[in-house]
Amino acid sequence: MDHLFDFGRIFLGLVFVFSVAGKVHRPVAFRAFRQSVISLAPPLRGAATPAAALVVVAETSSALTLALPATAPVGFALSVLLVNAFTAALVVALRRKTATTCGCFGDSGSPVAPRHVARNAVLLLVAGGGLFGWAAGGGQGRPSAGLVLVSGLAAVLAIVTATLDDIVALFATVPGAATHRRAHARQ
């Protein structure tokens, strides 16, 4: 259970670090995120700046509480609340066919898509798994030889999660890649 607990806290912690960094690394990035808040939650139009700042503070709090095993259960719970709220906004945008970006990891330029909801479902599963690992006795401070492997895997998957839109765009812009691979395979 230690591995499940540690994977969850490292993975989610890094995902939130990447998310915060994407939103605040430049003033223009925060303005773009603020605009996505307006697009995803029109009732917040008049309070978009404080709402965007609150999201950044909540994500930072989640990352910080996940960093320490003793406070990780609070981080998992906060992660569940945040990701559920984000998912609800994404689902509403998809149902309304709102043309907007999610701004989840900065302004990728990718419109809200079902993959964003699927990504959030995975984040929720990881948070639930982390809570389960903690409830089953994980995170008791016992040193683990597998922690290095779990940390590496969590880091790689967090990078993939944070760059998912870029990865999708990369493969979407390769014209005829599938046709070329099939023709090359026949030779």
Side-chain angles (χ1 to χ4, degrees):
M1 290 303 137
D2 282 335
H3 295 315
L4 187 61
F5 174 79
D6 288 331
F7 174 83
R9 68 186 192 83
I10 294 165
F11 172 76
L12 288 171
L14 287 173
V15 165
F16 282 118
V17 166
F18 294 145
S19 180
V20 169
K23 291 175 179 107
V24 300
H25 72 283
R26 295 184 329 231
V28 71
F30 184 77
R31 284 193 300 273
F33 175 62
R34 181 189 173 281
Q35 186 58 44
S36 72
V37 168
I38 292 169
S39 297
L40 289 169
L44 295 177
R45 178 175 295 281
T49 300
L54 181 62
V55 167
V56 169
V57 168
E59 289 179 331
T60 301
S61 299
S62 184
L64 290 173
T65 55
L66 287 164
L68 299 172
T71 57
V74 173
F76 286 128
L78 182 55
S79 297
V80 168
L81 291 173
L82 284 170
V83 175
N84 273 320
F86 300 158
T87 304
L90 292 171
V91 168
V92 168
L94 286 169
R95 284 188 164 191
R96 290 185 178 161
K97 297 183 177 151
T98 304
T100 186
T101 61
C102 81
C104 304
F105 295 96
D107 188 21
S108 70
S110 296
V112 171
R115 72 175 171 272
H116 297 114
V117 175
R119 177 203 55 215
N120 286 4
V122 170
L123 296 175
L124 288 169
L125 285 171
V126 171
L131 281 170
F132 176 77
W134 168 73
Q140 300 300 317
R142 297 180 294 258
S144 169
L147 183 58
V148 172
L149 180 62
V150 166
S151 298
L153 179 62
V156 168
L157 292 177
I159 291 168
V160 169
T161 301
T163 60
L164 181 63
D165 284 341
D166 296 328
I167 293 168
V168 168
L170 175 68
F171 288 105
T173 59
V174 179
T179 305
H180 176 70
R181 280 192 298 263
R182 277 187 250 123
H184 189 65
R186 287 185 205 139
Q187 294 175 354

